Amino acid sequence: MKKYLLICLLPIFTTACSSKPTPQEELDIQARFLPTVFNLDASTYALAPKEAPTALTKQLYDDALFKLGLLKRYDDQASAEFKLEKSVRPVALNTLCLMGKFVTNPTYVKAVKHSIEQEPDLNNWPKEKQPNWKEALSKENPEIFDSPCL
């Protein structure tokens, strides 16, 4: 009986193991997943610009700059239907908007050693995307956000 069961299940095992996603499908999955992971810092990105730069907020700035760079790279490489404005849920998009405002904040741009101004492609990306993010967020009920990106 075990042999028959194994024979019946063998096609399932062989196709399940060999049907790996393509590199583009993997990028699309990651582009959709990353903003959700970064959503954990939404309140931090809303509060940090209200404080004068400290060692802690400067480190947060560096981390946000790194995360924003990752998101830009995935957004650039993802297929059209997985662009951030189209595929990311409103709460995660709000976090991305807050992160963009934080890294382009003039007080922090001047205070940190490595600022967004030193990354020309990355510097333009949040400035170009911010109006789209805000437009998408304006259609949502602001009560769903702990800190709305106004």
Side-chain angles (χ1 to χ4, degrees):
M1 183 67 170
K2 290 181 184 179
K3 289 181 184 179
Y4 293 118
L5 185 59
L6 182 60
I7 291 171
C8 291
L9 294 176
L10 189 60
I12 294 171
F13 291 139
T14 58
T15 58
C17 293
S18 66
S19 63
K20 295 188 292 188
T22 66
Q24 185 62 52
E25 289 170 335
E26 287 181 16
L27 276 171
D28 292 344
I29 291 167
Q30 292 173 6
R32 193 173 38 196
F33 177 70
L34 275 176
T36 304
V37 173
F38 296 154
N39 187 43
L40 301 172
D41 299 328
S43 297
T44 309
Y45 295 130
L47 294 174
K50 296 176 183 176
E51 301 291 325
T54 64
L56 181 62
T57 56
K58 288 177 184 179
Q59 183 60 51
L60 177 66
Y61 182 93
D62 289 340
D63 293 345
L65 197 60
F66 174 76
K67 291 173 185 177
L68 201 63
L70 279 177
L71 288 168
K72 180 193 179 310
R73 186 179 63 144
Y74 280 112
D75 193 51
D76 289 347
Q77 295 175 357
S79 56
E81 63 269 10
F82 290 98
K83 294 296 181 187
L84 290 173
E85 292 88 14
K86 295 180 181 178
S87 63
V88 175
R89 295 177 188 237
V91 174
L93 191 60
N94 185 64
T95 301
L96 185 55
C97 181
L98 291 169
M99 186 189 310
K101 284 177 70 173
F102 176 53
V103 298
T104 57
N105 181 311
T107 303
Y108 280 90
V109 169
K110 292 176 187 172
V112 297
K113 290 179 185 174
H114 182 87
S115 73
I116 197 166
E117 289 181 342
Q118 295 166 323
E119 306 271 347
D121 292 343
L122 186 57
N123 188 16
N124 292 330
W125 189 68
K127 291 176 184 175
E128 292 170 0
K129 296 289 187 169
Q130 201 81 343
N132 298 341
W133 297 337
K134 287 184 178 185
E135 180 184 336
L137 292 170
S138 70
K139 298 174 185 172
E140 301 295 329
N141 180 355
E143 294 178 6
I144 66 171
F145 308 118
D146 291 334
S147 303
C149 185
L150 304 171

